Amino acid sequence: VTSLTIRHVAERFQHSNDTVSRYFKKMLFIFSDQPFYSTHVQFPTNEPVHPKTQCNPKFWPYFQNSIGAIDGCHIPVSPPAIIHSNYCNRK
């Protein structure tokens, strides 16, 4: 989630690289194995893009081939006008 290396995580939590790596692998196997994966992971369906997005030329070029968010909904978010410039060209 944080895209940090094992070395950074080990330094932050004051554990060895080996310990962090070992527990990361354990958690990875738990989350990718049955029954957790089959009960909690849901793939998006092939539902069409929301009409509000599809009819808006501001959004449609970017969402043209999208299949939806993980849970199937898109939430419109925009920062207040006073701090809008802080969020331009951000990832």
Side-chain angles (χ1 to χ4, degrees):
V1 173
T2 60
S3 71
L4 292 175
T5 63
I6 288 178
R7 180 176 290 157
H8 286 102
V9 174
E11 178 66 28
R12 166 66 176 88
F13 293 104
Q14 297 295 304
H15 288 284
S16 70
N17 293 348
D18 181 57
T19 303
V20 172
S21 177
R22 188 174 342 117
Y23 281 98
F24 177 79
K25 287 179 185 176
K26 282 184 181 183
M27 296 307 292
L28 185 63
F29 287 130
I30 288 171
F31 291 140
S32 63
D33 201 16
Q34 303 293 342
F36 183 88
Y37 187 81
S38 61
T39 56
H40 295 289
V41 175
Q42 297 177 0
F43 291 105
T45 59
N46 286 333
E47 297 176 7
V49 179
H50 193 276
K52 184 176 179 180
T53 304
Q54 198 170 14
C55 296
N56 190 337
K58 181 178 177 183
F59 299 127
W60 183 241
Y62 303 105
F63 291 99
Q64 187 171 354
N65 296 321
S66 67
I67 58 172
I70 292 174
D71 62 351
C73 68
H74 293 281
I75 302 170
V77 176
S78 62
I82 195 164
I83 60 170
H84 189 269
S85 62
N86 294 345
Y87 293 91
C88 287
N89 298 326
R90 301 295 287 210
K91 294 182 181 178

